[in-house]
Amino acid sequence: MKSLVCMKVAPKVDQIKFDEVKKTIVREGVENEINEADKNALEAALSLKETHGGTVTVISMGPPSFEPYLRLAVSMGADDAILLSDRAFAAADTFATSRVLAQAIKKVGLFDLVFCGEASSDGSTEQVPSSIAEWLGVPQITYANNIKIEDSKVVGRRVITGGYEIIESQLPVLVSVELGANTPRFPDFRRKRWADKEFKLTVWNIQDLGLNPNDVGLLGSYTIVKELKSLPAPARKGEFVTGSPQEIAKKLAQVIKASA
Amino acid sequence: MSQILLQKEEGKEENMNGHEIFVFIEQTDGTIEDVSLEVLGKAREIADKLGGSVTAVLFGENVESLTGEVAKSGADLVLYGESSLLKDYTTEAYAKVFEAQIRKRKPDVLLIGATHNGASLAASLAIKLGSGLMAHVIDLEIESDTGKLLGSVPGFGGSIVSVCKCSKGDIEMATVRPGIFKQREPSTSRIGVIQRIEADLKPEDKKCKVLERSVKRTEELARTERVVVAGLGCRGELSLPKELAEDIGGSLGVSRPLADKGLVPKDKVVGSTGSSLNAKLAIVLGVSGAAHFSSGIRDVKTVIAINTDSNSQIFKLADYCVKGDLFEILPYLTAELESSSK
């Protein structure tokens, strides 16, 4: 099995602040992390490798400062890691992002599986996995868990409205992995030392990918942001209800009835 | 009545430049997703404002019987395509037949309910068509000077909204979050035109196959009036929260970590990685209230929170705060509610 895992490095959402005057997102001082669902995607690829052999390559688009996160993925067990880094890639929407990732996957060559997390914690559009599948012209199993290989086909359990379905696909296929589908492994300590010091990370820029500057980043995006707004927190009473459990229950019952 | 509407349809044929909004109607095993009819209702409102028309598009194996309901819920034209290869939703097959229809009719706007199927379909179509796609919008407006669609796209855990528009491509696309817009009351006097369309598919167009499906139709959290939300503080013991949910005539939701433990299905998650509630009442039990959770109860009218930690963030998000052990309080509360309902 040759697997590729698309990984996003995202800011920790809890630390994001909004500048009400400039109407921009304050990113200074905000820590980054590997997007949680992408860790589930990596784990899914690594556990398939354990059963069926093969290789796992991680691909991420972002600035050089994302390097340590790719090395972290290698120390978790990825065989190779590629950073797609170019100033021209900046400020991309999902159209331009998926185009760059798909182009890199094509450059890597033949593959059996492309894994993505189902969504990013910051943008949460859920669009990139299906878009990559479309650029590559391969089938897709989105929002999946319990991913297995059976008779050289992929079988996954796909979460849908009100339940799930079991879906089978020919290879090659793109799989987007459900957030929390598995428990991502910790980095291996000895491997980490190697990943940090000796592992040679591949970095590709726009020329390496043979892409036109008009097709990537802000220029290659098909949506634009007109303005940013923060949603004001709703005004809440914040009234503490006190007393014995019986008294509290009585008061809450009144609130519940009044809210009908 | 039908004559009048037919004339209107003929008028549209003459003026192919009139604003046409496509709405994808998603059905599974013959049941239309609520969000599809919600989107249809919003599309109707926009079309009426712009003097345009609404075309609903529906695929499946045997879906003609569903078209009447769709027409009554706001569509001027219902296009339906049938094939045994469309019996189960798969993105590749649905995107292929849908793309053909869009290239043929060249609508101005395409709106799709943001279910998992809808989000995958939309993202695939956007690439096929070379079109912008706004994700899971919570509001849709028309920009006055350009007539373009403005979508409010929530991000960063739901606390920040970006107002977006499509800047390239021949069609403007958006997926729409479930539970935001209202369905129209089906109107029996409304008679849309129903038209069967070609669904040109070959077995080799379909590399995925649905082997099995298990769906329980319960009311979606986004549309439930009263919700009890259980968090980690319930220590996996959900019988009391469930009983309380029954007593208030509502349903049970959970915070993300509980669903990750596999105790409840993922569609019961409240927060930015699940549903946003629009309830009149939410009783939040043992939930800490992190940012990704708070957006899920933002639009709830009255919030009651019970938590053992008086410094818990959840108390900043609640109208009625109880610092205490929910296992001590709930038995009294359910008894109180049950006795007074007799």
Side-chain angles (χ1 to χ4, degrees):
Chain A
M1 287 299 124
K2 185 165 180 186
S3 295
L4 303 167
V5 180
C6 299
M7 194 178 93
K8 181 174 188 178
V9 178
K12 290 190 176 173
V13 169
D14 279 6
Q15 297 179 4
I16 289 280
K17 296 219 162 41
F18 189 72
D19 185 325
E20 291 291 350
V21 179
K22 292 188 200 145
K23 300 285 172 201
T24 52
I25 290 155
V26 183
R27 289 173 188 272
E28 284 81 48
V30 176
E31 291 171 275
N32 287 322
E33 61 185 352
I34 298 177
N35 179 48
E36 222 184 318
D38 299 351
K39 275 191 177 175
N40 295 124
L42 177 57
E43 177 58 37
L46 292 174
S47 65
L48 278 189
K49 182 191 159 182
E50 279 168 356
T51 319
H52 302 279
T55 58
V56 174
T57 301
V58 172
I59 302 181
S60 185
M61 183 177 91
S65 61
F66 284 5
E67 226 187 78
Y69 300 92
L70 285 166
R71 292 189 187 277
L72 186 63
V74 171
S75 64
M76 284 168 75
D79 299 279
D80 203 358
I82 305 166
L83 180 65
L84 313 174
S85 197
D86 198 299
R87 281 185 184 279
F89 296 160
D93 72 351
T94 58
F95 196 100
T97 301
S98 62
R99 178 177 251 171
V100 169
L101 287 165
Q103 187 71 10
I105 291 166
K106 286 182 192 163
K107 186 175 160 84
V108 170
L110 289 176
F111 62 89
D112 298 299
L113 288 141
V114 176
F115 286 96
C116 299
E118 63 175 7
S120 62
S121 55
D122 55 347
S124 318
T125 69
E126 307 168 24
Q127 291 168 357
V128 169
S130 295
S131 299
I132 293 174
E134 206 53 56
W135 287 113
L136 297 172
V138 300
Q140 51 183 283
I141 304 178
T142 46
Y143 310 96
N145 57 45
N146 286 316
I147 301 134
K148 297 188 181 87
I149 306 285
E150 288 171 8
D151 304 327
S152 56
K153 283 183 177 160
V154 175
V155 179
R157 193 174 185 269
R158 180 169 182 265
V159 181
I160 54 172
T161 310
Y164 67 89
E165 60 191 19
I166 307 290
I167 184 161
E168 176 194 88
S169 174
Q170 299 167 22
L171 296 170
V173 63
L174 179 136
V175 178
S176 90
V177 179
E178 189 201 19
L179 174 64
N182 51 39
T183 309
R185 65 195 64 195
F186 286 105
D188 178 291
F189 256 112
R190 262 169 293 177
R191 200 174 162 79
K192 185 163 190 331
R193 210 175 308 150
W194 172 77
D196 286 344
K197 296 216 162 79
E198 288 167 58
F199 168 73
K200 261 193 84 68
L201 183 82
T202 304
V203 182
W204 286 341
N205 63 18
I206 188 166
Q207 283 89 25
D208 295 320
L209 293 179
L211 286 167
N212 184 318
N214 290 322
D215 289 338
V216 301
L218 187 62
L219 290 175
S221 293
Y222 278 60
T223 50
I224 48 171
V225 176
K226 191 185 176 196
E227 61 173 321
L228 287 172
K229 295 194 279 205
S230 68
L231 291 178
R236 295 288 182 201
K237 290 197 182 79
E239 182 182 319
F240 275 82
V241 181
T242 52
S244 68
Q246 290 98 313
E247 288 163 347
I248 290 171
K250 264 200 173 17
K251 287 178 194 167
L252 291 184
Q254 284 166 8
V255 172
I256 290 166
K257 271 174 224 151
S259 75
Chain B
M1 191 67 197
S2 65
Q3 247 181 350
I4 297 167
L5 281 155
L6 277 172
Q7 278 170 2
K8 195 173 154 199
E9 174 63 14
E10 279 164 16
K12 186 192 142 35
E13 291 293 327
E14 280 163 29
N15 175 20
M16 286 298 280
N17 294 326
H19 211 83
E20 184 179 16
I21 303 174
F22 261 32
V23 176
F24 174 60
I25 304 295
E26 181 182 348
Q27 61 83 28
T28 308
D29 298 329
T31 304
I32 294 174
E33 295 291 341
D34 289 330
V35 65
S36 299
L37 298 180
E38 292 167 4
V39 176
L40 191 58
K42 184 66 183 178
R44 179 77 263 155
E45 183 194 314
I46 296 171
D48 288 345
K49 226 179 266 172
L50 295 175
S53 68
V54 178
T55 300
V57 187
L58 170 71
F59 296 109
E61 184 177 33
N62 219 327
V63 291
E64 191 186 356
S65 60
L66 302 175
T67 54
E69 182 191 349
V70 176
K72 289 188 179 83
S73 301
D76 299 299
L77 173 64
V78 184
L79 302 174
Y80 71 100
E82 293 181 322
S83 160
S84 59
L85 295 169
L86 296 169
K87 179 178 180 294
D88 300 306
Y89 171 87
T90 58
T91 303
E92 40 177 2
Y94 272 57
K96 183 164 195 278
V97 291
F98 210 160
E99 182 195 5
Q101 274 315 304
I102 292 166
R103 293 203 181 277
K104 196 169 161 195
R105 285 192 70 92
K106 302 185 171 45
D108 303 279
V109 171
L110 169 58
L111 302 177
I112 297 181
T115 60
H116 282 182
N117 289 348
S120 300
L121 177 66
S124 290
L125 279 173
I127 304 304
K128 279 183 188 292
L129 298 164
S131 152
L133 170 60
M134 300 180 278
H136 310 352
V137 300
I138 54 171
D139 200 8
L140 280 170
E141 288 169 288
I142 299 295
E143 193 173 37
S144 51
D145 49 338
T146 62
K148 280 184 95 79
L149 201 59
L150 294 177
S152 295
V153 178
F156 298 99
S159 56
I160 297 169
V161 166
S162 59
V163 180
C164 296
K165 57 181 171 181
C166 298
S167 51
K168 284 189 206 167
D170 296 327
I171 178 170
E172 300 165 68
M173 292 176 63
T175 56
V176 178
R177 184 190 278 188
I180 298 285
F181 298 120
K182 293 267 172 297
Q183 285 185 33
R184 286 168 80 93
E185 280 299 317
S187 156
T188 41
S189 63
R190 187 172 187 93
I191 304 162
V193 176
I194 290 163
Q195 196 181 312
R196 190 188 159 93
I197 51 174
E198 277 307 304
D200 186 20
L201 277 176
K202 296 176 199 73
E204 54 268 31
D205 292 327
K206 226 184 128 175
K207 297 182 191 76
C208 285
K209 195 161 76 180
V210 175
L211 305 177
E212 180 192 329
R213 180 162 48 236
S214 166
V215 172
K216 262 195 227 143
R217 290 275 160 192
T218 50
E219 193 178 24
E220 280 174 56
L221 279 179
R223 300 184 186 84
T224 307
E225 295 252 299
R226 308 176 129 212
V227 183
V228 173
V229 189
L232 280 179
C234 295
R235 302 195 292 267
E237 182 42 69
L238 295 180
S239 54
L240 276 171
K242 270 183 193 153
E243 190 185 338
L244 178 61
E246 273 172 35
D247 288 340
I248 63 170
S251 49
L252 183 75
V254 294
S255 66
R256 181 89 212 180
L258 269 196
D260 285 347
K261 285 175 186 288
L263 290 171
V264 275
K266 292 281 166 72
D267 61 355
K268 297 297 171 205
V269 172
V270 174
S272 63
T273 59
S275 299
S276 291
L277 304 182
N278 298 291
K280 287 196 177 129
L281 173 72
I283 306 176
V284 184
L285 306 169
V287 175
S288 65
H292 57 83
F293 177 81
S294 64
S295 67
I297 57 167
R298 182 194 307 279
D299 296 325
V300 175
K301 199 150 166 268
T302 303
V303 176
I304 298 173
I306 305 181
N307 200 300
T308 48
D309 175 7
S310 59
N311 292 320
S312 172
Q313 185 64 28
I314 196 69
F315 291 140
K316 299 202 172 90
L317 310 169
D319 296 293
Y320 299 94
C321 313
V322 178
K323 183 206 171 290
D325 184 345
L326 59 102
F327 293 100
E328 276 178 24
I329 295 160
L330 288 197
Y332 290 111
L333 182 55
T334 51
E336 186 73 32
L337 292 167
E338 283 160 29
S339 72
S340 64
S341 70
K342 272 175 196 151

